Amino acid sequence: MKPSYLLTAMISALPLATVAGSAAAADACKDVKFTVTNNHFEGREIEIRKVKFTNPHNNGKEQTEDVKNKVCKHGDTCTTDGDNLSNAEKVDLNSIKVVFAYKEHDGQWSKEFVRQPFTPTYRKCTDNKKYGPIVVQDSN
């Protein structure tokens, strides 16, 4: 094939590749909230900082989303303010993990810990969805 024909064929295929690639990507799932119950084994306050989940739409890779830090007293059930989860609209979210820190005796926040995975009964992410309750019991 002549170089000019090859270049024309490649340029013609580019819009198709772009459309096909964007069709595979999901939109953001908007205003998603996570309900967390603080049963920390030492009775500490926790601060919810991030949420991680497996997104099958991203080839099953773990996705991390920052959430507005939310302090939750021991024994309380708290709900995050609502966040937009990128590439997650109408996608089944699996293995949801809460990233948190706990209040140490000196008043400082600990390093971050990740809660064991929570698998919701109804996984599909839709706008205004609330997942949980996700129970935090220890710092492992």
Side-chain angles (χ1 to χ4, degrees), residues 29 31-37 48-53 63-68 70 72 77-85 88 93-99 118 120 123 125 128-135:
C29 194
D31 198 30
V32 178
K33 297 178 173 128
F34 297 89
T35 301
V36 178
T37 300
I48 305 160
R49 296 183 172 180
K50 298 175 192 163
V51 175
K52 297 178 179 234
F53 53 88
Q63 183 171 327
T64 301
E65 295 283 342
D66 291 327
V67 296
K68 184 177 177 187
K70 181 91 163 176
C72 191
T77 297
C78 304
T79 303
T80 61
D81 291 339
D83 293 280
N84 296 338
L85 307 182
L93 304 187
N94 300 305
S95 301
I96 298 172
K97 302 174 191 172
V98 173
V99 179
F118 165 80
R123 300 175 189 166
C125 194
N128 305 305
K129 172 88 173 158
K130 188 186 290 185
Y131 288 99
I134 303 166
V135 180

Side-chain angles (χ1 to χ4, degrees), residues 108-137:
Q108 300 296 313
W109 290 106
S110 69
K111 69 177 186 172
E112 290 183 344
F113 293 91
V114 180
R115 189 228 181 250
Q116 295 298 315
F118 165 80
T119 301
T121 303
Y122 184 69
R123 300 175 189 166
K124 191 162 304 297
C125 194
T126 56
D127 291 351
N128 305 305
K129 172 88 173 158
K130 188 186 290 185
Y131 288 99
I134 303 166
V135 180
V136 171
Q137 295 179 327

